[in-house]
Amino acid sequence: MKQIISIIFLLLMLFSCRSDDFGSGSGSGNLVPVTFTVQVRYDSYFGNKQSKNAVVTLVNNSSGDTYTATSGDNGAAVFATVIPGSYKVTVSKTMPAAEFLSAFGYTSPVPEVHFNGVQENVIVNANVTATSIEIKSARLGDLVIKQVYYAGSHATQGASFRDQFIEIYNNSNEVIYADGLFIAQLYGKNNMTVNATSLANGQFDWSKSLGMTAGSSANTDYVYADYVLQVPGSGTQYPLQPGQSLVIAQNGSNHKAPLVDNTGVPVTVLNPSLTVDLSTADFEAYLGDFKLSIGDTVYKYDLQNPAVKDLTIAYWGKTGYWNSNNDFLIDNLGRDSFAIFRMNDFDALPDYADPTVAVVGTNTRFYKQIPVSVIIDGVELQHFNPNSQRPKMLGSAVDASFINTDAAFNSQSVIRKTKTVLPDGRRILEDTNNSANDFVKLSMANPRGFAL
């Protein structure tokens, strides 16, 4: 009798394995293409109207296969033959001012309005043949993050991580004062694992942090910062002309030249061509005085160049629970993201431990909660290895995608593309709030340089 039951059980198992979640009709693993539709609508601010001529892209999470279609008058983008699987769906729509007026009945404050939307882990199979995506208008700021050099240079031949920098650019036609500008290095999970303290995409569910009162908006209306730096000034000390950049160095030194670290040890650079000269940077992130003020020691590579102005350390962890990092170090693998913003009463913003913390201890780290509404620009970096990528930290209205270098310590930076060059030589950089569209990789980081 037991043998008969076992045989029946095995037959049932074999039969159940003949169909899979991705719609294979053959049972042999050959996936049959299906027709898939993405319905695109504007968000409620724009009346949930259907969006035509929106560019919709499907990227298979396993194979990287990519499909692109454009939505029709009814807002539907139809993909005729899609291989079943799990996909990331992104939507971008650029609307000129004339089309904006026709669609919504009032004049746009800018020449172009950009809309973006994204859905992660969308299943496509014979049973799931459609999804709907709401797109939101991007926040268009006059200042943009132009270049991020996070990969660093060769660890023994170059300057390793010491030569990292961020470049901010005035993409407008007016003088903008950099005084008071905040630069935030954001924090989130560095893996896609879904658990009790994460969202469906793997990112932290910040609504579950100790003391959090924001509810689900904790994940949509805010980002969380590891560190926050600020440009000093009274309000009009640091004018940035149209087309000019602000270079913010981790260490404002000429990294092509030998140096002596804070312990008196000489440091040489064997191949200066692999690194950059940051001795003319506008600001550097010197933490020495701050570290001493909290009873800590100064990091040996945190050198101060008197010719380069120091940034203000606006946030380096909760008082008494200071962040243990010794310098403004950017992850060489690309697992950081950045945002620039302005606001009053920054110190009044709350900070929270990540939601995995059940009891606050002496080693607990806290992260500043920053409203998305104050963000001027943001850039989502990502690990160069597709199998090691982490969830997005920024919403699609700030950055719909991400950008990365090819490896760590390879001297590459990520830099915005030039959209147009005006008759006076000033460059307007791409700014659709979609890093995959706006940025390219620069084979050699170049402060104040441009991509072709």
Side-chain angles (χ1 to χ4, degrees), residues 20-176:
D20 56 60
D21 288 340
F22 299 127
S24 171
S26 66
S28 63
N30 296 321
L31 300 178
V32 178
V34 299
T35 299
F36 191 77
T37 301
V38 178
Q39 183 68 48
V40 184
R41 293 182 180 276
Y42 300 105
D43 65 5
S44 58
Y45 186 81
F46 295 100
N48 296 121
K49 291 184 176 182
Q50 296 167 338
S51 174
K52 65 178 181 179
N53 296 325
V55 178
V56 183
T57 303
L58 311 182
V59 179
N60 188 288
N61 290 331
S62 297
S63 66
D65 289 344
T66 301
Y67 305 84
T68 301
T70 301
S71 61
D73 291 345
N74 62 352
V78 180
F79 299 81
T81 55
V82 180
I83 297 296
S86 174
Y87 285 81
K88 177 180 179 180
V89 184
T90 59
V91 183
S92 296
K93 162 76 176 179
T94 298
M95 181 178 283
E99 183 183 351
F100 186 97
L101 177 61
S102 174
F104 302 119
Y106 61 95
T107 302
S108 167
V110 292
E112 289 182 336
V113 179
H114 302 282
F115 296 85
N116 292 292
V118 63
Q119 277 186 13
E120 304 276 358
N121 302 319
V122 176
I123 298 299
V124 176
N125 61 31
N127 300 314
V128 182
T129 59
T131 191
S132 179
I133 294 186
E134 181 179 87
I135 57 175
K136 299 182 178 182
S137 62
R139 180 183 175 88
L140 301 174
D142 288 333
L143 295 178
V144 296
I145 299 173
K146 172 190 170 186
Q147 185 175 189
V148 184
Y149 176 45
Y150 67 88
S153 52
H154 195 279
T156 56
Q157 299 289 316
S160 187
F161 53 81
R162 300 186 304 273
D163 54 358
Q164 295 173 329
F165 70 86
I166 294 176
E167 184 176 357
I168 297 169
Y169 183 80
N170 183 352
N171 209 32
S172 80
N173 60 353
E174 298 179 351
V175 176
I176 298 176

Side-chain angles (χ1 to χ4, degrees), residues 293-369:
S293 73
I294 62 173
D296 207 345
T297 56
V298 180
Y299 182 48
K300 64 179 181 178
Y301 293 133
D302 190 12
L303 305 176
Q304 187 177 34
N305 181 356
V308 178
K309 300 175 183 67
D310 294 338
L311 291 169
T312 300
I313 311 302
Y315 184 78
W316 209 259
K318 189 182 184 73
T319 301
Y321 298 88
W322 303 113
N323 194 301
S324 60
N325 278 13
N326 293 316
D327 206 347
F328 178 47
L329 302 176
I330 309 175
D331 183 61
N332 298 87
L333 298 174
R335 295 172 297 186
D336 289 320
S337 295
F338 290 90
I340 56 174
F341 64 98
R342 293 185 188 273
M343 67 175 301
N344 298 319
D345 300 325
F346 171 80
D347 291 338
L349 293 177
D351 48 11
Y352 298 94
D354 75 57
T356 65
V357 175
V359 178
V360 174
T362 55
N363 294 323
T364 300
R365 290 173 62 175
F366 289 80
Y367 308 94
K368 202 71 164 177
Q369 185 188 58

Side-chain angles (χ1 to χ4, degrees), residues 192-214:
M192 296 284 196
T193 304
V194 176
N195 52 39
T197 58
S198 70
L199 301 169
N201 69 350
Q203 188 52 269
F204 285 130
D205 183 352
W206 290 96
S207 71
K208 297 181 179 179
S209 295
L210 290 174
M212 180 66 71
T213 60

Side-chain angles (χ1 to χ4, degrees), residues 353-428:
D354 75 57
T356 65
V357 175
V359 178
V360 174
T362 55
N363 294 323
T364 300
R365 290 173 62 175
F366 289 80
Y367 308 94
K368 202 71 164 177
Q369 185 188 58
I370 299 168
V372 171
S373 59
V374 302
I375 293 177
I376 299 169
D377 189 39
V379 173
E380 190 91 55
L381 303 178
Q382 185 58 278
H383 199 294
F384 57 85
N385 184 343
N387 296 320
S388 299
Q389 292 184 348
R390 47 86 177 168
K392 281 174 61 60
M393 302 178 196
L394 292 166
S396 60
V398 179
D399 191 350
S401 190
F402 58 81
I403 186 67
N404 56 269
T405 61
D406 291 327
F409 301 110
N410 67 349
S411 302
Q412 286 183 348
S413 68
V414 294
I415 188 169
R416 282 188 189 269
K417 296 184 287 188
T418 298
K419 181 178 182 178
T420 187
V421 180
L422 300 180
D424 62 1
R426 180 164 59 89
R427 293 174 183 247
I428 303 297

